[in-house]
Amino acid sequence: MIALELLAPAKDIACGKAAIDHGADAVYIGAQRFGARAAAGNSVDDIRELCEYARPFGVKVYVTVNTILYDDELEATEQLIRQLYDIGVAAILVQDMGILQMQLPPIALHASTQTDNRTADKVRWLQQLGFRRVVLARELSVDEISHIHQQVPDMPLEVFVHGALCVSYSGLCYASQYCFGRSANRGQCAQFCRMKFDLLDAEGRELEHQRYLLSLKDMNQSQHLEELIQAGATSFKIEGRLKDVNYVKNVVSAYSQQLDAFIGKHADQYCRASKGHCVYSFTPNLQKTFNRGFTTYFLHGRQPDIFSPDTPKAMGEYVGYVKEMRRDSFTVAGTASFANGDGLCYINKVRALEGFRVNRAEGNRLFPQQMPANLRAGMALYRNNDQELERLLAHKSSERKIPLAMKLEPSVDGFALSAGDVVVTISCEHQQAEKPQRENIIRQLSKLGGTPYECSGVDMAEDFNYFIPSSLLADLRRRLISSMSLAHSQSVPVGLSVRSRRTSSPLPSDYSAPYFYNIANRLAADFYGAEPSAYELKGGQGPLMQCRHCLRYALGACQKHGGKKPEWREPLFLRLGDGRRFRLEFDCSHCQMNVYAAD
């Protein structure tokens, strides 16, 4: 039986608990330091509380320790990892190979996507080092994932399925550090790729003016989980450690339902990696949650329309187009319903995003707080804030319960109640009942409100006809639940990681610049047998970004993929609003676009 894991992000403990309540099999969260989202840190005590909340459901908690480290941070990192192991964290996500040189407890290590995992050779190398899982690059196609699985079949593979996309291969983006002194490899990305650029040719002609040429749409593989499962992926990761709790609720619920639907058709082969089922009080809808428009990215190979050049902001769901304009209102042609307070947006004639709030909705006639100056009949409208959904998600929107089958039987001096391997007993006279007791016994033992469990049945022998006072039945029930909670607390979900300090196998990636190895401390230098050479320490002359997204292709001028011959002379340059330029290199042999500093 293959266990499938839905892995959810947690900005904080509230998001982590919401993810569990709404169907996550695992949660990843950042500690106070050393996570790739510096703005999403949590105390060890909060992470302990999340582990305790997760444990009855068999949900695992992973912690991101996936920044590169400096020498003065090594001791604190090792102490943190020991603390995380002690509180029951199941695994840590790692980028810096210096961690493998530390004296660590037997906590499982997952290779973060920041380690640039896009080939079978790299995955095999990481396996030899003792990593228990590899998070694959977002850019991989289903065929590439399948190839990696076939070549390294016993390495669990984690893939991103939803959320924001980095335009550069993760771990190999230095643009933020170069431009702003904020390292993406240390959790401080300034989102260079979400900025406006001019596109210039070699003669200085402006081909595009102030557009978001590196800003990608958001990933959405919700309709392609079966393909990813068949390719060999077993963990499905939702991006979003900076997203709010309502995002987590909606997205986790949508993907949990998709996984359940798949497993329902293949119950003889697959199961969920955790326990419990959810009952939702709302209908999940991915279109209604923060998104920049959706793409399946490179799932089926290179395709057009993966970027969002008009805006890096959320547009939300398409709700129709403007049909008729009046002085203080307008009508919408479409089937969507609206609520007072909805946030709507549109792309104006100069391809800029504008938004407004609906003050009053009367059917499909909307009265904005102030009529948008650039709104015109025929324009498409999008809703990026759905008041009805926000209202539903503001309250308890899911309940997760674990079915509990009980067995009640007489013991030597009383009765025994069991569930699985947990057994509790009470001393009580075996008094034959004058009236049938089964219904009352089941009713009393089924009162599991306020616990993670729901009674799925009480097994009693056919001739079981004893009178047991309701107070004793309640005591049996409480003691059973208490014993189960104790059993969960004593079963810490961690996995032994067998690590070699140094491998004789050569690093499979033939990086052209030394800073691509991200060696920033003495332990990493010892691991590689090289000097510290991280871009954050010494800079470098190679590319700032390595992207599968290609502007030559996006503009219809990639002849390799059927485009027309470009009318411009290369090299092309991106230019920021402050005048700084960046040269584009089209590495067609690797179907890759590299971005270099030009000024």
Side-chain angles (χ1 to χ4, degrees):
M1 189 72 73
I2 299 174
L4 303 178
E5 176 187 272
L6 178 60
L7 177 55
K11 176 176 67 175
D12 51 31
I13 189 172
C15 287
K17 289 181 176 180
I20 295 167
D21 291 343
H22 290 74
D25 300 298
V27 174
Y28 66 105
I29 190 169
Q32 285 182 319
R33 299 175 67 189
F34 315 127
R37 295 290 184 273
N42 296 272
S43 70
V44 171
D45 285 341
D46 277 354
I47 297 173
R48 176 190 289 110
E49 183 179 340
L50 182 61
C51 289
E52 292 170 354
Y53 189 84
R55 202 163 289 138
F57 299 100
V59 170
K60 294 181 178 180
V61 176
Y62 308 139
V63 174
T64 56
V65 190
N66 59 341
T67 63
I68 59 172
L69 305 169
Y70 294 155
D71 280 329
D72 61 357
E73 298 169 330
L74 295 175
E75 183 178 351
T77 303
E78 186 171 333
Q79 291 176 351
L80 171 65
I81 295 171
R82 289 187 174 278
Q83 290 177 308
L84 296 174
Y85 173 76
D86 289 341
I87 65 174
V89 167
I92 56 172
L93 282 82
V94 171
Q95 175 185 192
D96 197 310
M97 293 300 165
I99 289 177
L100 274 68
Q101 303 291 81
M102 296 177 179
Q103 297 297 319
L104 297 182
I107 191 169
L109 302 184
H110 293 179
S112 169
T113 189
Q114 295 292 119
T115 55
D116 184 28
N117 310 317
R118 45 177 148 154
T119 67
D121 284 345
K122 183 66 172 286
V123 172
R124 186 181 296 107
W125 180 74
L126 291 165
Q127 183 185 51
Q128 292 168 353
L129 293 175
F131 283 93
R132 298 293 299 275
R133 180 188 293 183
V134 170
V135 188
L136 295 179
R138 294 170 174 88
E139 291 83 356
L140 298 187
S141 69
V142 69
D143 289 339
E144 289 169 319
I145 294 168
S146 179
H147 174 74
I148 291 172
H149 175 63
Q150 290 169 12
Q151 294 296 309
V152 198
D154 50 348
M155 171 58 86
L157 300 178
E158 180 179 308
V159 296
F160 281 91
V161 292
H162 197 88
L165 289 164
C166 297
V167 72
S168 176
Y169 283 102
S170 292
L172 299 178
C173 182
Y174 308 97
S176 179
Q177 174 68 33
Y178 171 78
C179 289
F180 310 107
R182 292 173 53 179
S183 169
N185 282 317
R186 289 183 51 79
Q188 300 168 342
C189 178
Q191 295 197 308
F192 174 85
C193 59
R194 304 295 182 190
M195 295 180 175
K196 284 183 178 181
F197 297 95
D198 300 323
L199 181 65
L200 311 175
D201 70 4
E203 297 172 351
R205 289 188 305 148
E206 190 173 271
L207 307 176
E208 296 284 344
H209 178 70
Q210 289 295 284
R211 302 194 75 197
Y212 301 95
L213 297 171
L214 299 180
S215 183
L216 300 179
K217 293 182 177 180
D218 287 358
M219 178 182 280
N220 181 347
Q221 309 291 21
S222 59
Q223 302 305 307
H224 302 279
L225 294 182
E226 182 169 353
E227 292 176 75
L228 291 167
I229 293 167
Q230 300 295 349
T234 54
S235 179
F236 308 95
K237 187 172 195 171
I238 298 166
E239 183 278 336
R241 277 201 302 118
L242 296 178
K243 297 296 197 301
D244 63 22
V245 68
N246 286 356
Y247 175 94
V248 171
K249 287 181 176 183
N250 188 33
V251 177
V252 170
S253 300
Y255 276 87
S256 184
Q257 289 183 342
Q258 290 288 341
L259 271 184
D260 284 344
F262 171 81
I263 289 172
K265 298 176 183 177
H266 307 276
D268 58 330
Q269 296 176 268
Y270 299 95
C271 64
R272 292 294 291 268
S274 64
K275 298 179 289 186
H277 65 91
C278 299
V279 177
Y280 305 105
S281 60
F282 73 107
T283 301
N285 186 337
L286 295 173
Q287 295 287 344
K288 292 179 178 291
T289 293
F290 182 102
N291 70 83
R292 300 175 176 90
F294 287 130
T295 175
T296 58
Y297 207 27
F298 292 94
L299 186 72
H300 299 122
R302 187 171 292 282
Q303 58 181 322
D305 202 28
I306 67 171
F307 74 141
S308 180
D310 292 329
T311 178
K313 298 180 180 179
M315 293 183 65
E317 63 172 332
Y318 172 74
V319 291
Y321 66 90
V322 179
K323 184 177 180 180
E324 177 195 13
M325 299 284 296
R326 293 187 182 179
R327 180 182 59 81
D328 60 350
S329 64
F330 63 91
T331 57
V332 179
T335 59
S337 58
F338 299 92
N340 299 347
D342 277 354
L344 301 181
C345 60
Y346 60 96
I347 300 292
N348 64 25
K349 287 187 175 181
V350 294
R351 296 190 299 194
L353 183 72
E354 294 189 21
F356 60 93
R357 184 78 65 177
V358 175
N359 188 51
R360 187 172 83 253
E362 296 179 359
N364 68 338
R365 178 163 291 282
L366 306 182
F367 295 80
Q369 291 177 332
Q370 183 176 350
M371 282 293 288
N374 297 311
L375 188 66
R376 300 288 184 269
M379 285 184 172
L381 280 175
Y382 301 85
R383 175 162 46 198
N384 55 12
N385 187 282
D386 188 308
Q387 283 296 295
E388 179 60 20
L389 180 64
E390 294 295 315
R391 182 186 65 79
L392 291 172
L393 295 179
H395 305 287
K396 184 176 181 179
S397 48
S398 176
E399 186 169 43
R400 181 169 180 169
K401 292 292 184 179
I402 303 168
L404 190 64
M406 304 182 197
K407 184 175 183 179
L408 182 64
E409 54 191 341
S411 61
V412 174
D413 61 348
F415 297 92
L417 182 64
S418 61
D421 297 330
V422 179
V423 182
V424 295
T425 61
I426 55 168
S427 297
C428 179
E429 179 185 355
H430 290 171
Q431 180 181 349
Q432 290 291 317
E434 297 179 0
K435 297 180 180 180
Q437 294 293 305
R438 284 179 174 270
E439 288 188 10
N440 181 61
I441 289 172
I442 293 172
R443 182 167 58 251
Q444 295 299 326
L445 294 180
S446 298
K447 294 179 179 180
L448 299 175
T451 77
Y453 306 99
E454 63 180 8
C455 180
S456 61
V458 180
D459 182 24
M460 292 175 278
E462 287 291 333
D463 58 353
F464 191 99
N465 190 35
Y466 298 102
F467 172 75
I468 308 174
S470 294
S471 60
L472 292 184
L473 289 170
D475 184 48
L476 262 178
R477 182 190 70 236
R478 285 191 291 266
R479 289 171 59 195
L480 179 69
I481 298 303
S482 177
S483 296
M484 294 189 70
S485 298
L486 180 62
H488 289 311
S489 68
Q490 294 173 342
S491 176
V492 179
V494 296
L496 182 64
S497 179
V498 183
R499 293 182 297 280
S500 57
R501 285 247 176 154
R502 183 87 175 271
T503 177
S504 58
S505 303
L507 181 66
S509 298
D510 183 18
Y511 289 141
S512 59
Y515 65 84
F516 293 152
Y517 293 93
N518 295 323
I519 304 172
N521 60 72
R522 55 182 172 78
L523 292 183
D526 179 58
F527 173 85
Y528 285 111
E531 293 297 316
S533 56
Y535 191 91
E536 289 77 2
L537 299 178
K538 298 183 176 181
Q541 298 302 311
L544 298 176
M545 307 176 89
Q546 299 179 47
C547 314
R548 206 164 194 175
H549 167 55
C550 174
L551 283 173
R552 184 193 278 173
Y553 175 86
L555 297 174
C558 175
Q559 293 177 284
K560 181 178 178 180
H561 288 89
K564 62 184 180 180
K565 184 178 180 180
E567 298 177 356
W568 57 73
R569 190 164 66 86
E570 296 183 0
L572 300 183
F573 296 85
L574 294 173
R575 183 174 62 192
L576 280 173
D578 63 6
R580 282 182 287 182
R581 299 189 310 153
F582 303 87
R583 177 173 61 84
L584 301 182
E585 173 189 73
F586 299 102
D587 179 359
C588 296
S589 63
H590 295 97
C591 213
Q592 180 173 300
M593 180 180 75
N594 298 323
V595 181
Y596 291 80
D599 297 325

